[in-house]
Structures are given as C-alpha cells and as structure tokens.
Amino acid sequence: MFEEASEVFDNMFKSSFPLTFIVFIPAVLILVSPLPAEAAHEFTVYRMQQYDLQGQPYGTRNAILNTEARTVEAEVLSRRCVIMRLADFSYEEYQKALRQSAGAVVIILPKNMSAMPQDIVQQFMELEPEMLATETVVPVYFAMEDDELLSIYTQTLTSSSSQGSLSAAEVLLHTATANGFQMVTSGAQSKAISDWAITSLEGRLAGVGGEDLPTIVMVAHYDSFGVAPWLSYGADSNGSGVSMLLELARLFSKLYTYKRTHAGYNLLFFVSGGGKFNYQGTKRWLEDNLDHTDSSLLQDNVAFVLCLDTLGNGDSLHLHVSKPPKEGTPQYSLLKELEMVAASQFPEVKFSMVHKKINLADDMLAWEHERFGIRRLPAFTLSHLPSHRLAQRSSIMDVRSVSPSSRHGAGEPPAGPHVDVKKLSRNTKLVAEALARVIYNLTEKGAPGDLQIFTEQMVQDEQLSAVVDWLTAQPRAAQLVNKDSSVVSTLEYHLGHYLKDVKRHYVKADKRDPEFVFYDQLKQTMNAYRYAVMSSSSEMLKCTSS
C-alpha cells in the first residue's frame, strides 16, 4: 500500500504545485495515522516443491511471506502477494506476476478438485511441470478455498481492478481508504533437510524344485508427486500400481501355499521409494544387490522385471520396453501371454508394446524399468498410459475423491485422473492370468487362451478399493514419507502378511555430492490481516481536494 502511494507522489510532484500541496498535507496525515490491524483469517497453505536433483534446483526457493495482497488486475504487483484462483488461472498471468517481481503468489484451489471442469484440470496438469522446470525466487503457495478466503479474494479483486481507471489523486485516495489485506506466513525460511532416508521394501515367495530357479521381479513405486508435496495424493500414479502389486502378492501367496500349485519360479516383490525422483530407491536397491553382496536373487537367473505404473483406468494397456524381447526368452513369453489373455478374456482391452530406448542424456528416466535396463536386467513397465510424458503421472489433480455412486459405476466420473476400481480389478486379473501362464508354462502344455486360473471372486474389488483409499488418504510425496511413516509401516505389514523375508532398504543422499536434496517448510499457516484506515483522515483528503 505504501509503495503505491509513493509512486503516486512521484507522479504528482512532477505536476503543478497547488495540486501537489493540497494533496500532500492530508496524505501525510493519512500515512502517519495508526493503522489498526486485526487477523481477518487464518488458513493453511502448501508450498510449491523445492528440491535439487543431480545439482539442479527446482521449484520455489523461498518460504517467508509478509506483504500486501493484490490480484493480477492491479497495475503494481512488485513486492505484493498476488492471489489467483485456479478456476481463472493462466500461465501468462502467473508469469506476469513473476516478471514484475511479485513478493509471493498464492493460488486458491477448489474444495473438490475432482469436480473441476475437464479443460481446467487438463490445462493445469500440463502447466505443473512448467511451473517446476526452473527455480523460482518468489514464494509460491496453494490454499484450499473456503468462504473467508473467497471473500478476501473478492475484495482484493475489486480493489485491484478499480485502480487502473483512476486518476493519480483517486489512486491515492482509494489506496488510503480501501480495506486491504496483509498476508503473513508463520514459518521460517526453508532449509535443506539433512540425512533424509528414502525407504523401500522387498519380500519374496520362494519357488520349489531346485537351487538355480528363475526369478520374476514385480516392482511398483509408492511415492506421489505434484506441484505441491502436501497436495500430492497420487491415486492412479502410483496408488493403482502398488494396489495391484499387493493383490498379486496375495494371489500368488495362496498358490504357493499348496504343493500342487507351488511353482518353480522365485517371485520377488519390491515396493520402491523415491520413484518420482529418478527412482532413487530402485537405484540403491540394485547397487546393494548387484555390487555389495555375494548372494542375491538379482544376481542369478532373472527371468524378467515387471514394473507396475498407473494402471487404474482406461481400456488400453501398454508394455513399455527399452529393447524388444527376443523369441524364446521369458520376456517374450510374458509379452505373448499378455496379448493372448487380453484377446481371449478381455477383448475390450487394447494391448500393445511401446519401444523406447533409454536416453541417458535426459535428467530423468522415463520409466522405472529403465533403472533395471541400465544394469542389463530384462525389464518392462506396464501402464494404461501410452507415454511417460503425460501430465497425469505427476499432478496434484490425481486424487481419489470420488463419490460413492461413482465408485460403484454410477454417477459422473471426476474430470481429472482417478482410479476406476472395476478397471483396476480387471487389469489385475489380466496380469495375474498372464503371469500364471508363464509360471506354469500353460501355453506349451496346450492350455487354451480363455482358461481362467483366477475366478472373479479371487481378485477382490473390495481389497483393491480399500488399499487405494488408504494410500490416497494422505499425501505420499517422498519428502513427507520418512522411515517412521505410517505409509511405510503399513506397506511392510501388508507385505509381511503374504510374503517371506520382508526387508527395508534405505537410501540417503551423499553428503559431498548429493543426487537429491529436499527442503522443509512445505506446509505453513498464513494469516490475512485486514487493514482499516482512520475515516477522519480520508474525509480531510476529500475536503481539501474539492
């Protein structure tokens, strides 16, 4: 407010003396008058991502905020807190605020993001990577809309919009007499978190029939990602993948319980952390198993690694590969069995293989299987997404908040990414059937493609839904899930219920040359203080100006 008044004074001093004099004296009285402030509203804000990956900074670099509120309609945004609503958000206006050296940006999100119009959801999902692509000096926060915050926005919008059409004297008068809001955060400046441990989990089902048995590895990363860590729930990416992995562990643990169905394959299950940060948990797990031990299932006879990523929707399944499998290999057998099961049992599903070479020049790997490919292990990623570049893999719009009617197939589905439990269940059954055909060598034994190993009742929709609901009940950003998190302990419990030799694996960044650095102050309390100006001073200005 005072900065705007100063700019108005500069313009007035360049004009005639009488006008300057009659405005200056009462204006000074206004500026030196006490400005009583009261806390208008207190609310929680969620800061944009701040992290370093391989030495490159991303996201916002500041957390402290103590400045006046404006909307982008105001002529002067320098050192102001620019409030924006997601419903009206545009990247051009966001960039305008940054170019004008705004003091901060606060983006107001709707209470129910899954009810947002499709075009707004899609536009914002595509903008999230742009907002994080480079470091931003300005603090950027997100807040959930409520009546008080909406009222603050509306009053600020009215004040900001009216300034452009006023004369210099009217701007000063309006600045002095209008209700304004000072936005103040309660937290400290952000700092790097030291010794943060990313946790991963493994468990296994041992095969029967010899010592040098082939091993099938199933992998899913559990962490989520979006423009703000505390708003990243990752329902489809990758709550659906983790849910499928746990259900596959349950199904095959039952088969491995009975002598008649105990197969000659080791099954190794790995739930990885740090997936959204270039698969740091998987990288360390591979190093531990391949470089730092003399005995590991990954060193011996790995048939293939199947990574599960974003499988809770759609009527397509894509097997992403870095190198097309050769005929006669277990990888080729899985490819053909997936094709056969999809065609014979689930004709509504369009299955395809997508070939993309690993590009080591990229800052980020495309899919998790590439971590295994770099270590010359045969691996794929199965997803309903045809490309790793699609925005829903890393968006705060990927939420589970679906009405009960929608969960049971009725009602309107949400606009953004979400999990359709019926499709997740179907995809789980398709994968389970294809794996069983490989493990039990059913095609070579002449079993028809429509032979069902698992009945409809064996793949439990309720179990899948419960796991997805639990996973999306809290944000799972890697910066929020430490080794003592309930996310880790509950995953460990589920794996221990079905598998043997469940273990934790930790990865910490190297202190001298860290591959990743996380920062704190990701969630704060913000106060909006309403400013009221003494009416006698404003009346004096009106009189002397007339």
Side-chain angles (χ1 to χ4, degrees):
M1 178 164 59
F2 296 120
E3 291 90 341
E4 285 174 338
S6 175
E7 291 167 22
V8 173
F9 282 140
D10 288 341
N11 292 330
M12 289 194 299
F13 281 134
K14 296 174 184 176
S15 61
S16 62
F17 174 77
L19 175 62
T20 304
F21 181 79
I22 64 174
V23 175
F24 178 75
I25 297 301
V28 169
L29 294 176
I30 292 172
L31 294 178
V32 299
S33 299
L35 298 176
E38 54 177 321
H41 188 44
E42 179 181 286
F43 54 99
T44 302
V45 288
Y46 309 95
R47 196 162 66 95
M48 178 193 278
Q49 291 271 5
Q50 180 183 0
Y51 63 91
D52 303 339
L53 192 61
Q54 294 163 341
Q56 177 70 31
Y58 293 91
T60 180
R61 312 312 286 182
N62 282 297
I64 295 176
L65 166 58
N66 186 348
T67 186
E68 296 170 66
R70 293 290 183 272
T71 65
V72 291
E73 287 74 14
E75 287 195 347
V76 179
L77 298 180
S78 175
R79 299 189 296 279
R80 309 302 193 276
C81 174
V82 180
I83 308 176
M84 314 175 79
R85 289 182 68 214
L86 181 64
D88 311 313
F89 182 84
S90 80
Y91 191 61
E92 291 73 20
E93 291 181 339
Y94 172 75
Q95 286 293 315
K96 172 189 172 184
L98 299 186
R99 285 195 305 271
Q100 292 195 22
S101 301
V105 175
V106 175
I107 300 172
I108 303 175
L109 304 174
K111 295 177 182 178
N112 183 7
M113 287 194 287
S114 64
M116 289 287 290
Q118 177 66 45
D119 58 337
I120 295 177
V121 170
Q122 187 63 37
Q123 171 186 281
F124 189 76
M125 284 196 302
E126 293 172 357
L127 290 178
E128 285 183 70
E130 297 285 339
M131 296 172 72
L132 293 175
T134 56
E135 64 175 331
T136 302
V137 176
V138 172
V140 180
Y141 283 98
F142 296 83
M144 304 309 296
E145 184 178 285
D146 60 23
D147 292 341
E148 285 289 337
L149 190 52
L150 187 58
S151 175
I152 290 171
Y153 172 79
T154 302
Q155 293 179 63
T156 305
L157 174 62
T158 301
S159 174
S160 300
S161 300
S162 62
Q163 293 178 16
S165 59
L166 301 179
S167 67
E170 288 171 327
V171 169
L172 178 60
L173 175 62
H174 180 84
T175 302
T177 58
N179 276 331
F181 296 91
Q182 187 83 1
M183 314 299 281
V184 183
T185 51
S186 59
Q189 181 58 284
S190 60
K191 62 181 185 300
I193 304 172
S194 60
D195 293 328
W196 186 264
I198 293 174
T199 307
S200 302
L201 297 153
E202 73 165 77
R204 66 189 65 191
L205 293 171
V208 65
E211 293 185 359
D212 190 25
L213 296 177
T215 298
I216 292 175
V217 187
M218 281 169 268
V219 181
H221 68 272
Y222 65 80
D223 56 307
S224 55
F225 189 87
V227 70
W230 274 97
L231 299 173
S232 302
Y233 291 90
D236 197 10
S237 179
N238 192 31
S240 63
V242 174
S243 300
M244 179 181 288
L245 182 142
L246 292 177
E247 183 66 359
L248 291 173
R250 186 186 71 83
L251 291 170
F252 282 96
S253 70
K254 288 184 175 296
L255 292 178
Y256 273 48
T257 299
Y258 302 103
K259 185 176 181 180
R260 189 166 64 91
T261 52
H262 197 167
Y265 276 85
N266 297 314
L267 302 182
L268 184 58
F269 296 82
F270 184 59
V271 182
S272 62
K276 302 298 187 180
F277 290 90
N278 221 10
Y279 309 104
Q280 294 295 329
T282 300
K283 181 175 182 288
R284 176 57 58 86
W285 187 59
L286 287 168
E287 291 170 351
D288 289 345
N289 280 275
L290 299 179
D291 302 334
H292 304 143
T293 184
D294 294 329
S295 177
S296 167
L297 289 179
L298 293 180
Q299 288 180 341
D300 302 327
N301 184 7
V302 175
F304 54 79
V305 181
L306 178 60
C307 301
L308 306 171
D309 191 333
T310 317
L311 289 156
N313 216 320
D315 290 320
S316 299
L317 284 178
H318 306 278
L319 192 67
H320 297 272
V321 303
S322 302
K323 182 184 297 185
K326 294 181 180 180
E327 190 171 350
T329 63
Q331 309 94 270
Y332 186 81
S333 296
L334 177 66
L335 171 64
K336 303 313 288 185
E337 297 296 2
L338 286 167
E339 287 178 347
M340 179 183 293
V341 172
S344 301
Q345 300 185 32
F346 305 96
E348 76 277 13
V349 176
K350 296 178 181 178
F351 176 81
S352 67
M353 182 183 75
V354 180
H355 175 217
K356 177 197 165 296
K357 292 182 179 180
I358 301 173
N359 186 353
L360 296 176
D362 287 346
D363 293 335
M364 290 283 292
L365 295 176
W367 299 98
E368 191 158 14
H369 74 267
E370 295 184 351
R371 275 286 172 216
F372 295 89
I374 291 171
R375 301 304 301 261
R376 300 188 181 281
L377 292 173
F380 337 83
T381 294
L382 188 67
S383 176
H384 74 74
L385 301 179
S387 169
H388 68 284
R389 299 186 185 279
L390 292 176
Q392 55 260 53
R393 292 187 70 206
S394 302
S395 175
I396 62 174
M397 295 295 172
D398 185 8
V399 295
R400 175 66 176 133
S401 53
V402 186
S403 66
S405 60
S406 296
R407 292 185 189 182
H408 292 88
E412 290 295 322
H418 64 284
V419 173
D420 184 324
V421 171
K422 289 190 177 300
K423 292 185 177 182
L424 175 59
S425 176
R426 176 204 64 198
N427 292 343
T428 302
K429 189 171 187 301
L430 192 158
V431 173
E433 293 287 352
L435 285 170
R437 294 184 69 87
V438 172
I439 289 170
Y440 297 107
N441 202 19
L442 295 182
T443 296
E444 286 196 12
K445 293 178 181 178
D450 58 358
L451 174 67
Q452 295 189 12
I453 307 300
F454 303 98
T455 63
E456 293 292 338
Q457 292 73 28
M458 291 182 72
V459 178
Q460 297 179 356
D461 289 13
E462 296 80 6
Q463 175 83 1
L464 286 165
S465 182
V467 173
V468 173
D469 287 345
W470 163 69
L471 284 169
T472 54
Q474 65 272 304
R476 303 187 314 283
Q479 306 98 310
L480 307 179
V481 182
N482 61 24
K483 59 186 178 63
D484 299 318
S485 166
S486 62
V487 172
V488 173
S489 58
T490 306
L491 283 170
E492 188 174 39
Y493 168 80
H494 280 289
L495 290 173
H497 194 65
Y498 308 128
L499 308 174
K500 304 294 184 183
D501 301 324
V502 174
K503 300 175 184 176
R504 292 189 179 197
H505 294 265
Y506 301 107
V507 54
K508 291 184 179 181
D510 184 86
K511 291 185 178 180
R512 289 175 298 179
D513 186 22
E515 287 197 41
F516 62 93
V517 179
F518 296 149
Y519 293 80
D520 61 7
Q521 301 298 330
L522 297 173
K523 178 182 179 182
Q524 293 199 20
T525 298
M526 183 176 290
N527 285 282
Y529 293 99
R530 185 193 308 273
Y531 280 89
V533 182
M534 292 179 64
S535 59
S536 58
S537 297
S538 62
E539 290 300 322
M540 185 182 299
L541 178 58
K542 291 179 184 177
C543 293
T544 55
S545 300
S546 59

